[in-house]
Amino acid sequence: MTGHDANGHETEHGDGRGGRDNHGDGRADGSPPGESRRGRRSGALRAVGLSLAGTLVLGVAAAGWVYWRLDDNIRGVDVDSALGDNRPARAVTTPSPSGTASAVPLPTEAVNILVLGSDSRGGDENRELGGGDSSGARSDTAMVVHVDAGRTSATVVSIPRDTLVTRPSCPLPSGGSTEVSHGAMFNSAYALGGPVCAVKTVESLTDVRMDHFVEVDFAGFAKLVDALGGVTVTTAEDIEDEDSHLSLAAGTHHLDGTRALALARTRHGIGDGSDLGRIGLQQTLVKALLEQIASTALLKSPTRLYRVADAVTAGLTTDTGLDSLAELTELGRSLEGLSAANLTTVTLPVLPAPSDPNRVIPDEPRASDLWASLRQG
């Protein structure tokens, strides 16, 4: 309100009801101007900062858990130490393209990978899908994947499991080694000595160094197909196979993981019932999976990407050169230029074995010529 001083000049006094006080700043407590607003703003910023920090910590923890989970899924076998130096020579390393933006250039040399499909891990899931137990390890699928230098084209060579081969002496996990066996079934190598003996038998048969091996079990394959949203394949004839529990009319079908696995295992329901008919179906599946992966925008869906990565690694056994998420990721990135259109699938040329019409032997010299072409890079 207004008053007068001793000289008759008007003065203003605080009225105790929110008016300006004798400090002249509009605050009854005498605090500096704007302090309340700054305090509120500072508190809000601290809250936002703490929230962001908490989110960041949780994000880092989650990312760390995901990496650990995927990395821990992979089982490694030290093939190099087990087999020593008495093996075919490695492919010659080619220089990386100049001017690459990558701090660590991706590998570009030719690479050979032995891919095995097996039921060796056992467990309830594998038994439900038709797999065996841990004491009855089998490898019904064997493919030598040769990726050419530059890694934009590849050849997949399927080896019939009924092929009679000379199985070399293989080291055993329990110590000692197996005897050399002439005229042994190819898939007996895995059953007898696991991945190490399978790799050594393939190298003995082909004189091609296997830079890596990858083994996928039944459950892992089915989960991968499901994580990708299924796979589309076309069959030229009706399939009725009681053993694999698959009934499929000729034509194009979109299969879930269980049915895709049944197709990969079908033998008696197609062709003459031999392993050669099954190999044709497996090669069709390989190309279809590549096409499905290429058409699935995994990077746009972190959830799907994680499901696919978890499925891939959960059923995986590799050599120790690929048994970490970082090493698998590097291999995958080096193969980004590889498409189904640049993938050639062939089967090892074979003839009926004179000793047993239910077995086959390599058809020479065609078989040797095929392996020689892979050694050329």
Side-chain angles (χ1 to χ4, degrees):
M1 61 184 172
T2 302
H4 296 79
D5 61 14
N7 297 318
H9 297 111
E10 291 185 347
T11 61
E12 290 184 344
H13 301 278
D15 61 4
R17 292 174 297 184
R20 297 199 302 178
D21 64 8
N22 58 358
H23 295 282
D25 63 356
R27 292 183 49 77
D29 60 359
S31 59
E35 183 175 302
S36 179
R37 290 191 298 273
R38 285 197 299 269
R40 287 194 298 270
R41 186 165 58 247
S42 177
L45 289 174
R46 281 198 300 271
V48 171
L50 288 173
S51 178
L52 290 175
T55 301
L56 180 61
V57 169
L58 288 175
V60 170
W65 180 87
V66 167
Y67 186 94
W68 173 85
R69 165 67 184 264
L70 298 178
D71 200 63
D72 192 58
N73 278 345
I74 308 165
R75 175 173 173 257
V77 177
D78 193 351
V79 173
D80 288 343
S81 294
L83 295 184
D85 297 327
N86 188 22
R87 302 173 64 188
R90 292 185 184 275
V92 176
T93 301
T94 57
S96 300
S98 58
T100 177
S102 175
V104 180
L106 293 172
T108 59
E109 72 272 12
V111 63
N112 299 299
I113 305 170
L114 175 62
V115 178
L116 303 173
S118 79
D119 60 352
S120 63
R121 289 208 177 176
D124 293 340
E125 287 181 296
N126 279 322
R127 281 192 287 272
E128 289 175 3
L129 292 168
D133 56 33
S134 58
S135 63
R138 296 172 298 180
S139 177
D140 289 341
T141 302
M143 298 178 176
V144 173
V145 180
H146 172 80
V147 183
D148 296 330
R151 305 202 177 186
T152 58
S153 60
T155 301
V156 177
V157 184
S158 297
I159 304 176
R161 70 172 192 170
D162 296 335
T163 306
L164 299 182
V165 300
T166 296
R167 189 181 66 226
S169 174
C170 297
L172 294 172
S174 58
S177 58
T178 66
E179 297 290 334
V180 175
S181 178
H182 300 282
M185 275 183 59
F186 171 76
N187 72 337
S188 68
Y190 181 92
L192 186 65
V196 171
C197 195
V199 169
K200 187 167 186 179
T201 300
V202 169
E203 291 185 343
S204 176
L205 173 67
T206 66
D207 196 28
V208 175
R209 173 74 170 242
M210 296 297 108
D211 301 294
H212 300 292
F213 93 87
V214 173
E215 176 192 330
V216 182
D217 69 4
F218 282 3
F221 178 81
K223 286 180 178 178
L224 171 60
V225 174
D226 285 335
L228 288 169
V231 62
T232 300
V233 297
T234 300
T235 59
E237 59 183 285
D238 296 344
I239 298 175
E240 291 289 343
D241 190 345
E242 293 183 359
D243 290 346
S244 65
H245 309 292
L246 182 65
S247 177
L248 210 60
T252 300
H253 305 273
H254 191 74
L255 307 178
D256 64 7
T258 300
R259 298 183 80 201
L261 176 63
L263 183 66
R265 298 184 61 229
T266 289
R267 174 174 182 171
H268 302 294
I270 190 170
D272 60 2
S274 72
D275 198 40
L276 299 180
R278 171 165 57 189
I279 283 174
L281 294 176
Q282 292 173 348
Q283 292 174 343
T284 297
L285 267 173
V286 168
K287 286 194 171 185
L289 279 172
L290 275 179
E291 292 170 350
Q292 182 68 21
I293 291 171
S295 65
T296 303
L298 294 178
L299 294 180
K300 295 182 179 179
S301 174
T303 301
R304 173 170 282 190
L305 177 61
Y306 171 75
R307 286 202 304 266
V308 170
D310 190 40
V312 168
T313 56
L316 202 63
T317 303
T318 72
D319 62 284
T320 49
L322 281 182
D323 66 348
S324 74
L325 191 59
E327 290 162 330
L328 280 175
T329 299
E330 181 186 72
L331 176 64
R333 289 180 58 219
S334 77
L335 300 177
E336 285 179 343
L338 180 63
S339 67
N342 294 326
L343 183 71
T344 301
T345 56
V346 298
T347 302
L348 173 67
V350 293
L351 296 170
S355 59
D356 186 343
N358 294 318
R359 304 288 181 259
V360 295
I361 57 174
D363 179 10
E364 298 294 356
R366 294 172 61 209
S368 292
D369 290 343
L370 172 61
W371 301 128
S373 70
L374 302 191
R375 289 194 292 273
Q376 294 172 2

